[in-house]
Amino acid sequence: MIFKNQLTDYKFYILLFLIPLLICGISYGLIFIFFFISRRFSPALLTQNVEGKKILVTGASSGLGKSTAKILAQHGANVILVARGKDSDANGKSRLDYAVEEIKACARDPENQIIEGFKLDLKDREKIFLDIPSLLTKYNGIDWVILSHGFSSPGEIFNQSIQDAEATIAGKETIMENLINSNLLGSIRITESLFSACQKLKIDFPERIIYVASVLANVTFTGYIGYCASKFGLRGFVDGLRNELISSKTKVHLYLPGNMDTPMFENENKIKPACTFEIEGASVALPPDEC
Ligand SMILES: NC(=O)c1ccc[n+]([C@@H]2O[C@H](COP(=O)([O-])OP(=O)(O)OC[C@H]3O[C@@H](n4cnc5c(N)ncnc54)[C@H](OP(=O)(O)O)[C@@H]3O)[C@@H](O)[C@H]2O)c1
């Protein structure tokens, strides 16, 4: 009887040692899997192996697009910066011109890297379908495309519907049309013009296309109905595109950032409805360089 009790105690102490060991093993395993997955999808990977790549970045005159273009140029990529390039200042320069100068100044090898601006309004259908083939011919194809253009105009539907009714009667573009036209159709047009031109010119499709949507492509938010519609639509388009290209060499990505400290965010804060501020609370906007 005494012997049996001693044996039970012996097993108990082994279990006491083995169970924590097992828990530690499982925890380390999970940490390793999480680390492996997060490394695979880390945004920092975007800067690896970009040297010499020809990368077209839309929305590159400001905010996230400009920061992305800068980081890519610092890592040796050739960057073609796309924006409207309107509103020149007293020196006759637009913010796209200034962005090109700034990015050239910090490129790894400015003498040999292509850092050029390309003026294109993504609402201008005809110009997109005419200009993209010339651009592909000029650079003999594009390796990556990053679509970071965008616009937001927060407001409640009660007010915006009145403004939109007046705009429609005056024959002007409404707020809702502007949002869909810039954020959703702008991205669709670029994609279609690239694919049609690549086929016509017998040039390889881009290796990667990265679409910038927003967390508001997943959840709706008071004050952002039109913006959400444009970004939900973009998510649908990108998911569909990814399915169609699953067996091709082109990788399709969708980026869903939260608040970023950019001119767009600054402008939003000037016109956001009070209830949007209330729901949002003390939210943090990250610098675009860190996104
Ligand atoms: N900031 C945020 O908190 C936030 C959060 C989530 C998602 N996002 C998304 O992130 C992306 C970048 O936003 P951001 O904050 O960096 O904005 P931003 O600083 O205002 O920059 C927007 C860029 O888009 C370009 N653009 C706008 N309309 C255009 C058009 N019709 N044709 C060509 N270019 C056009 C602008 O160029 P020009 O005006 O010089 O032509 C500018 O370069 C957008 O897709 C936005 O929806 C932003």
Side-chain angles (χ1 to χ4, degrees):
M1 189 66 187
I2 289 165
F3 178 72
K4 204 178 167 192
N5 274 345
Q6 275 174 345
L7 197 69
T8 314
D9 286 350
Y10 173 68
K11 277 184 183 168
F12 172 75
Y13 284 116
I14 288 182
L15 278 180
L16 206 66
F17 175 73
L18 275 182
I19 288 172
L21 206 70
L22 201 70
I23 292 171
C24 280
I26 292 170
S27 309
Y28 276 119
L30 286 175
I31 290 169
F32 177 76
I33 291 168
F34 177 76
F35 179 75
F36 180 74
I37 292 174
S38 64
R39 283 290 303 152
R40 234 177 101 69
F41 297 107
S42 161
L45 287 184
L46 287 183
T47 58
Q48 287 178 13
N49 308 321
V50 293
E51 192 173 348
K53 293 243 186 264
K54 292 167 277 181
I55 306 182
L56 185 140
V57 183
T58 68
S61 64
S62 170
L64 179 68
K66 187 168 116 182
S67 292
T68 307
K70 195 190 253 181
I71 293 168
L72 292 170
Q74 284 167 340
H75 285 81
N78 299 301
V79 190
I80 298 117
L81 294 92
V82 176
R84 285 167 294 190
K86 285 181 183 166
D87 302 327
S88 304
D89 64 6
N91 301 318
K93 287 184 184 173
S94 66
R95 58 178 184 164
L96 176 62
D97 298 319
Y98 285 111
V100 172
E101 280 178 11
E102 193 182 324
I103 290 165
K104 253 188 199 159
C106 62
R108 184 190 280 181
D109 181 7
E111 294 295 305
N112 296 308
Q113 271 171 263
I114 302 166
I115 310 288
E116 285 178 6
F118 192 83
K119 291 184 183 181
L120 188 59
D121 185 343
L122 299 181
K123 291 204 288 187
D124 191 338
R125 302 158 55 203
E126 289 79 13
K127 199 163 184 303
I128 294 174
F129 282 92
L130 282 173
D131 282 1
I132 291 294
S134 336
L135 197 137
L136 285 175
T137 311
K138 180 176 174 191
Y139 299 111
N140 192 26
I142 294 289
D143 298 311
W144 289 18
V145 180
I146 302 178
L147 297 165
S148 184
H149 59 279
F151 149 79
S152 74
S153 183
E156 286 166 292
I157 192 77
F158 304 109
N159 299 327
Q160 287 192 333
S161 59
I162 294 171
Q163 292 174 48
D164 281 358
E166 286 167 359
T168 307
I169 290 163
K172 292 182 185 159
E173 189 181 40
T174 66
I175 298 167
M176 296 294 168
E177 284 167 348
N178 195 357
L179 286 163
I180 302 288
N181 214 347
S182 307
N183 298 350
L184 175 58
L185 293 177
S187 302
I188 294 178
R189 288 180 194 120
I190 286 280
T191 312
E192 286 197 313
S193 60
L194 277 166
F195 283 124
S196 61
C198 284
Q199 291 177 82
K200 213 169 172 186
L201 298 165
K202 300 199 184 330
I203 290 176
D204 285 345
F205 289 161
E207 290 164 19
R208 272 181 207 280
I209 313 181
I210 300 161
Y211 296 83
V212 178
S214 162
V215 283
L216 298 188
N218 269 340
V219 286
T220 53
F221 208 87
T222 301
Y224 283 93
I225 296 180
Y227 184 78
C228 285
S230 71
K231 296 292 185 177
F232 266 66
L234 182 61
R235 180 160 69 92
F237 176 77
V238 175
D239 280 354
L241 184 69
R242 193 184 296 115
N243 282 343
E244 286 204 21
L245 297 179
I246 201 92
S247 57
S248 89
K249 280 193 272 174
T250 304
K251 301 278 169 271
V252 176
H253 309 261
L254 181 70
Y255 181 41
L256 308 169
N259 285 345
M260 293 178 288
D261 190 8
T262 65
M264 177 173 131
F265 186 67
E266 211 176 288
N267 289 336
E268 279 177 19
N269 283 339
K270 289 181 195 155
I271 56 170
K272 254 181 212 170
C275 65
T276 308
F277 273 116
E278 238 174 85
I279 299 168
E280 216 175 31
S283 66
V284 180
L286 291 175
D289 293 9
E290 291 174 19
C291 293

